[in-house]
Amino acid sequence: MPSIKAAILGFGTVGEGVYRILQEKREEIKKSTGFTVEVVSILVKDKTKKRMSIQDVQITDDFRDILNNPEIDVVFEAIVGDEPAYTYLSEAIEKSCHIITANKKMFAKHGPALMKHAEFRSVQVGFEATTAGGVPIIRTVTNLLAGDRVKRIQGILNGTSNFILTKMREEGSSFSQALADAQQKGFAEADPSDDVTGMDAFRKLMILSSLAFGQQPDWEGVPVVGIDHLQTIDLIDASKENLRYRHVADIWLDERGKLQGTVGPVLIGENHPLFSIDGVDNAIIVDTEYLGSLTLVGPGAGMYPTGSAMIADLMHIIRRHEAVLIPN
Ligand SMILES: NC(=O)C1=CN([C@@H]2O[C@H](COP(=O)(O)OP(=O)(O)OC[C@H]3O[C@@H](n4cnc5c(N)ncnc54)[C@H](OP(=O)(O)O)[C@@H]3O)[C@@H](O)[C@H]2O)C=CC1
Ligand SMILES: N[C@@H](CC=O)C(=O)O
């Protein structure tokens, strides 16, 4: 049976999710693709940290161990921040590895360059997990663009913010209690200020903008507001009026064909499609020229939803590249 050798960069919430799914779905993947997928190396920052038990996999804190292994076909990236992630992925592409990333901070800034580089080296880039966790928004927009034109995308793109707003409204939790809960569940970023200031949703919006419109607006021109100024009482008072705060990221082409974007909390009524989206769920409304309006809803963060988006990218790469993946 031919095998695909994979490396995972980062073994926190997301990296571990990828590993677990690959182990749990080993036989199904083999059956559906004809390939076994073997994780051969995992990159971490601190090798002494206590982790789940892993057999027959090199655990390293030196990326060169991965880069210099000629057997590796695919690199999953789930580390934190734009560097060294961007450098590592550029080097992996140079070695003709396919790359699959969950790192939106890196991808919002360097995604277009990585895509160009990958095209030049004839490898694939999977980035479904960068936006809306397990919700297949990247694949959906890619498919829509084949015969349609996107006019506007708006949605809840940060699971942590939505989880916090829901807990404050439903349970009367304080902002800090709700944030601590989101961190404990693995939803929040290593630096949770990215979640609650709106920066994480902004970066996801920029990734969607590159995909849907082939460009990003000037970052400075997009107002970004978070949820960190909202009080539990604000949410409860709104609720009494049958209104809810949602943290909404929005991008559209104006009448002059210029991209406009906003990110921030919005008070919405019960007829709005985002009214009922609670907890860690994300929801994205895509308006197109021919299809009209489409809404996708699902878990926007967490180990298994995010891991599953990365495995979906892997399946796509295998199916597209069966002919060129050289069996080891
Ligand atoms: N959590 C989520 O639900 C989602 C997260 N993401 C993105 O996925 C990525 C990972 O997130 P998450 O798993 O939550 O983060 P964690 O903080 O749980 O894990 C990060 C992992 O990366 C390793 N790491 C960090 N920096 C480096 C480095 N410079 N070199 C080598 N290893 C490094 C850490 O090593 P060590 O274990 O030794 O500390 C750790 O294993 C982030 O970019 C995040 O934005 C995307 C979608 C959802
Ligand atoms: N911290 C992020 C994780 C997924 O992208 C979020 O809460 O949405």
Side-chain angles (χ1 to χ4, degrees):
M1 177 71 67
S3 90
I4 290 167
K5 309 274 195 232
I8 303 176
L9 315 187
F11 206 64
T13 304
V14 177
E16 192 180 316
V18 168
Y19 180 79
R20 284 176 183 272
I21 297 173
L22 285 175
Q23 299 314 108
E24 288 166 22
K25 298 288 169 200
R26 194 179 164 81
E27 290 308 312
E28 278 173 51
I29 293 172
K30 195 161 43 170
K31 225 187 238 169
S32 82
T33 65
F35 286 87
T36 56
V37 180
E38 240 180 282
V39 177
V40 293
S41 277
I42 293 175
L43 179 78
V44 292
K45 207 170 187 174
D46 176 4
K47 270 173 45 170
T48 64
K49 217 184 231 180
K50 205 164 174 288
R51 304 175 194 275
M52 68 177 281
S53 111
I54 305 161
Q55 309 287 314
D56 304 322
V57 180
Q58 175 193 45
I59 307 290
T60 180
D61 56 8
D62 185 348
F63 181 62
R64 281 168 302 185
D65 289 337
I66 291 170
L67 199 63
N68 295 332
N69 180 347
E71 284 197 312
I72 292 173
D73 305 293
V74 179
V75 173
F76 291 93
E77 188 261 315
I79 67 175
V80 175
D82 57 350
E83 284 295 357
Y86 175 55
T87 302
Y88 289 171
L89 292 185
S90 303
E91 289 175 349
I93 290 172
E94 259 322 279
K95 295 272 179 173
S96 297
C97 292
H98 301 287
I99 60 165
I100 298 174
T101 182
N103 184 342
K104 52 273 161 107
K105 186 165 188 184
M106 180 280 300
F107 205 75
K109 190 165 161 194
H110 299 297
L114 280 177
M115 302 285 279
K116 249 192 212 153
H117 187 182
E119 194 179 352
F120 182 68
R121 287 282 167 216
S122 304
V123 294
Q124 295 292 302
V125 179
F127 59 102
E128 186 66 72
T130 59
T131 307
V135 181
I137 183 64
I138 302 296
R139 186 81 52 232
T140 303
V141 171
T142 305
N143 289 346
L144 282 172
L145 288 171
D148 206 339
R149 187 177 69 87
V150 174
K151 296 195 295 189
R152 180 177 184 177
I153 299 180
Q154 61 174 321
I156 296 169
L157 296 181
N158 185 266
T160 299
S161 294
N162 206 49
F163 178 85
I164 292 172
L165 293 178
T166 305
K167 272 191 85 86
M168 286 165 75
R169 188 192 82 243
E170 282 185 346
E171 298 171 25
S173 304
S174 68
F175 177 86
S176 53
Q177 279 167 344
L179 173 59
D181 202 1
Q183 287 177 296
Q184 192 268 327
K185 287 181 157 54
F187 301 154
E189 296 303 301
D191 175 0
S193 67
D194 280 354
D195 295 296
V196 300
T197 59
M199 282 311 293
D200 180 74
F202 165 76
R203 293 189 187 107
K204 290 165 176 165
L205 192 69
M206 294 304 103
I207 292 170
L208 288 175
S209 179
S210 289
L211 177 67
F213 303 110
Q215 55 174 309
Q216 296 182 2
D218 176 12
W219 284 22
E220 301 304 316
V222 179
V224 179
V225 181
I227 59 155
D228 43 355
H229 61 288
L230 292 174
Q231 309 279 328
T232 306
I233 190 71
D234 300 330
L235 276 78
I236 292 173
D237 283 350
S239 188
K240 287 181 190 152
E241 306 290 321
N242 216 14
L243 296 170
R244 287 184 186 169
Y245 278 99
R246 294 296 182 211
H247 189 257
V248 179
D250 198 350
I251 189 144
W252 68 96
L253 277 171
D254 70 14
E255 56 289 346
R256 292 167 297 135
K258 189 166 184 270
L259 275 178
Q260 304 287 347
T262 60
V263 177
V266 177
L267 255 185
I268 57 175
E270 63 184 331
N271 293 326
H272 195 285
L274 301 180
F275 186 79
S276 59
I277 310 302
D278 273 336
V280 74
D281 274 0
N282 283 188
I284 307 107
I285 305 164
V286 186
D287 288 327
T288 81
E289 186 173 356
Y290 298 121
L291 176 75
S293 183
L294 168 81
T295 304
L296 297 186
V297 181
M303 177 181 280
Y304 282 105
T306 311
S308 81
M310 297 184 88
I311 301 302
D313 278 340
L314 175 68
M315 295 298 105
H316 192 70
I317 289 172
I318 294 177
R319 291 192 179 113
R320 276 191 72 178
H321 277 258
E322 228 159 328
V324 296
L325 275 165
I326 300 152
N328 289 299

